Amino acid sequence: MKTITNENGVYQLKSVLPGQNITLVPNKIDDPLNGISTIDLLLIERHIKGLSTITDPYQLIAADINRSGSVTITDLIELRKMILGTIINFSNNKDWIFIPESFKFNDPLSPWTYPETISYNPVTNSRSDVNFIGVKVGDVNNSATINAQQLESRHFIRSLELVHAISTHPPFDLHSFYLPK
């Protein structure tokens, strides 16, 4: 089953049943260049050279273009290729990465291992606290346009597809899926 969030990032799943095992899998397909500019190249370059260290775990994840678990010259080269139009997609990454809001990094300066789904095995009651933080890959300076009218923080996504697996039992609601901050 799939659902799409409303303009405020809220969703409601009406066919979720008590006792079901579900996994929430957020996805957003976007213009790969959204939020990406030479400023991001500069920020990554300064980080690699040690001139200005990126300390925010979400910015580090955004800077790890090739999803290698580190920020290197290879990330810089791939981002430059994207900006110049010689590639149209990242080779080993997607446009957006979603991390459960409740997840705490063991080491925020090495945030390379993180979940990208939330599972309930089984679901036992309605939930209104199922939140993800969205990271636009390549957008280190947080400038992605979320919708046509406004510029938002990387942490709030206006339109998001949510995919989940279901089983059978009497229905109840799982709702208020939103991306805070």
Side-chain angles (χ1 to χ4, degrees):
M1 175 184 285
K2 295 181 181 185
T3 190
I4 297 180
T5 60
N6 69 15
E7 66 278 356
N8 295 316
V10 176
Y11 77 99
Q12 188 171 23
L13 300 172
K14 292 188 180 244
S15 62
V16 176
L17 307 169
Q20 290 180 304
N21 295 332
I22 66 166
T23 299
L24 304 173
V25 183
N27 183 41
K28 182 170 178 59
I29 298 171
D30 198 4
D31 172 7
L33 286 172
N34 181 12
I36 294 174
S37 71
T38 55
I39 294 170
D40 299 301
L41 285 173
L42 178 64
L43 292 171
I44 293 171
E45 181 178 5
R46 292 180 55 79
H47 175 79
I48 292 168
K49 290 180 175 179
L51 300 174
S52 178
T53 304
I54 299 171
T55 58
D56 179 84
Y58 301 105
Q59 287 179 306
L60 286 167
I61 291 166
D64 184 15
I65 307 302
N66 65 359
R67 209 165 186 166
S68 65
S70 62
V71 179
T72 66
I73 191 71
T74 308
D75 298 302
L76 195 63
I77 291 168
E78 189 161 351
L79 187 59
R80 183 173 290 135
K81 287 179 180 179
M82 177 69 74
I83 290 170
L84 294 174
T86 59
I87 62 172
I88 58 171
N89 293 305
F90 297 125
S91 62
N92 194 37
N93 216 337
K94 47 194 171 183
D95 297 338
W96 288 89
I97 294 172
F98 294 94
I99 301 167
E101 179 189 44
S102 61
F103 179 75
K104 303 296 180 227
F105 294 98
N106 289 330
D107 180 359
L109 297 178
S110 185
W112 313 121
T113 304
Y114 47 84
E116 295 185 66
T117 63
I118 296 175
S119 295
Y120 294 97
N121 298 313
V123 173
T124 56
N125 57 1
S126 293
R127 302 293 304 245
S128 62
D129 60 348
V130 184
N131 306 315
F132 287 87
I133 293 175
V135 178
K136 174 66 175 77
V137 175
D139 181 19
V140 180
N141 73 335
N142 216 9
S143 63
T145 302
I146 305 307
N147 62 31
Q149 286 80 37
Q150 66 194 115
L151 194 66
E152 300 247 357
S153 165
R154 92 165 81 257
H155 304 298
F156 189 83
I157 309 306
R158 289 281 182 208
S159 177
L160 178 72
E161 179 182 60
L162 181 71
V163 182
H164 74 283
I166 63 170
S167 63
T168 59
H169 292 293
F172 71 94
D173 293 344
L174 179 67
H175 56 84
S176 294
F177 178 89
Y178 66 96
L179 304 173
K181 192 169 179 180

